[in-house]
Amino acid sequence: METIAILETTAPWVMPVGVFILGACIGSFLNVCIVRIPAGESLWWPPSHAADGRRLSWWENVPILAWFYLRGRDRVTGEPYSFRYPFVELLTAVLFGVCWWMHSPLVALAGMILLSLLIVGSFIDLDHMILPDGVTIVGMIVGVLLSFWIPEMHLPKGQSPYLSDGFASGVISMISVLIGAGLVFWVGELGEVAFRKPAMGLGDVKLVGCIGAFCGWQGAVFSLFGGAVIGCVILLPLLLLMRRSQGKPGLRQNEDLQKETAGGNSGETTDATLAQGLGMEVPFGPMLALGGAVYFLGADAWVDPYFAMLAEMVFGR
């Protein structure tokens, strides 16, 4: 910490630039996770390779820049690479930079882990309509453990007079997991009664529990209702325009989705919500993830006082 403080004083540009580069490199690894986790492949072997199996040179793996230098194509076969690769790398780098700017170093570290989990879960959900347990449940566990180690994640230092800060923070994290997951579960149950079909996947339940572990119950609640607003404002108009399209990632007809998921997915949970009345199922995970990210990166400054005001109105001082 002292080294970081010295760097920020003598060369304030070093840490932001370093965090941006770190984020781009992590984003490159997240691309691997997005592709290989649903396929059940190893994240470590084989190393990054082209579609024809050729191992990529080191400079072909340079985050962001390599894609533009190669104009989005394999240098040997000419096969196109998706723009998603540099996009995920740039997105991760930018979010890491904002996280570093908004929070203290340790809290920023926890935030970078959360943002990485949200990015992986969102893009897998868009492609396959699933939220893997390796993202959601592992995220819950990591969030709780980090809360014991970094009490600033949930309370200012010295706020628990009877318990150690770390223990109090960990307890808050565990309670937030239960509140967030429980809230989404019952919203899904009520939605199933209203629509007479599943309205919320178990993947959504676990994802909000993961967000609660890092952000507290306020962040979990905000991710749910903030995600719903984002989905209604942005996603539903897009659905109307794409109603007749087939085979779009994250947009599938109910019958096709049911056939694909009839056999179940080991270690993964199907996720299908939103726009039930349109005869289509779309992933709600990216909306929840965006709500959680927005909360962690600054929305808590106005969301928490609002929840505190509501609590005072209901329970008094």
Side-chain angles (χ1 to χ4, degrees):
M1 294 303 172
E2 293 181 1
T3 303
I4 293 176
I6 294 173
L7 282 175
E8 290 180 341
T9 302
T10 57
W13 56 271
V14 171
M15 289 307 300
V17 171
V19 168
F20 184 90
I21 295 174
L22 172 65
C25 294
I26 295 296
S28 181
F29 176 69
L30 298 186
N31 276 320
V32 175
C33 296
I34 291 167
V35 173
R36 296 190 184 187
I37 288 178
E41 299 176 354
S42 170
L43 299 179
W44 319 107
W45 189 263
S48 297
H49 55 276
D52 60 358
R54 175 182 59 84
R55 185 169 180 176
L56 298 178
S57 303
W58 69 267
W59 59 270
E60 293 178 275
N61 278 316
V62 175
I64 304 173
L65 300 179
W67 190 92
F68 289 99
Y69 178 77
L70 295 169
R71 299 180 180 180
R73 293 184 177 274
D74 184 271
R75 68 179 177 90
V76 175
T77 65
E79 288 291 323
Y81 290 145
S82 172
F83 180 70
R84 173 182 290 184
Y85 293 108
F87 176 77
V88 168
E89 292 163 356
L90 180 60
L91 174 66
T92 308
V94 170
L95 290 179
F96 275 30
V98 175
C99 190
W100 180 265
W101 178 56
M102 294 292 300
H103 296 287
S104 63
L106 285 179
V107 176
L109 174 62
M112 292 172 192
I113 295 173
L114 171 64
L115 292 170
S116 298
L117 292 168
L118 296 180
I119 290 171
V120 172
S122 295
F123 282 99
I124 290 178
D125 204 10
L126 284 170
D127 285 345
H128 304 284
M129 298 285 288
I130 57 175
L131 285 165
D133 291 345
V135 173
T136 55
I137 293 181
V138 171
M140 289 186 208
I141 296 172
V142 172
V144 171
L145 293 178
L146 285 175
S147 297
F148 280 101
W149 179 43
I150 311 172
E152 292 87 354
M153 288 173 60
H154 298 287
L155 73 166
K157 190 174 183 179
Q159 286 296 300
S160 58
Y162 303 108
L163 299 172
S164 70
D165 288 347
F167 183 78
S169 175
V171 170
I172 291 173
S173 179
M174 290 187 289
I175 293 174
S176 299
V177 169
L178 298 177
I179 292 176
L183 176 63
V184 178
F185 175 80
W186 286 111
V187 168
E189 290 295 297
L190 294 175
E192 185 170 352
V193 172
F195 295 108
R196 297 183 180 179
K197 61 178 68 177
M200 196 76 72
L202 286 178
D204 297 325
V205 174
K206 298 172 186 177
L207 181 61
V208 175
C210 172
I211 293 172
F214 283 87
C215 301
W217 67 266
Q218 299 94 330
V221 173
F222 179 82
S223 71
L224 173 60
F225 294 103
V229 171
I230 294 170
C232 291
V233 171
I234 298 176
L235 194 54
L236 290 185
L238 181 62
L239 271 175
L240 293 173
L241 295 175
M242 302 178 64
R243 183 180 174 86
R244 295 183 181 181
S245 64
Q246 297 289 333
K248 300 290 184 181
L251 296 173
R252 303 187 183 181
Q253 296 294 338
N254 286 343
E255 294 181 0
D256 295 337
L257 182 64
Q258 290 170 0
K259 291 178 182 178
E260 179 177 325
T261 59
N265 292 287
S266 178
E268 299 175 342
T269 51
T270 58
D271 166 58
T273 68
L274 216 61
Q276 302 283 356
L278 297 177
M280 304 182 90
E281 307 233 352
V282 300
F284 196 38
M287 303 298 106
L288 296 172
L290 183 56
V294 168
Y295 176 87
F296 192 89
L297 295 178
D300 60 315
W302 56 271
V303 171
D304 289 358
Y306 178 76
F307 280 130
M309 179 186 68
L310 290 179
E312 184 175 338
M313 292 174 60
V314 174
F315 301 107
R317 294 183 179 278

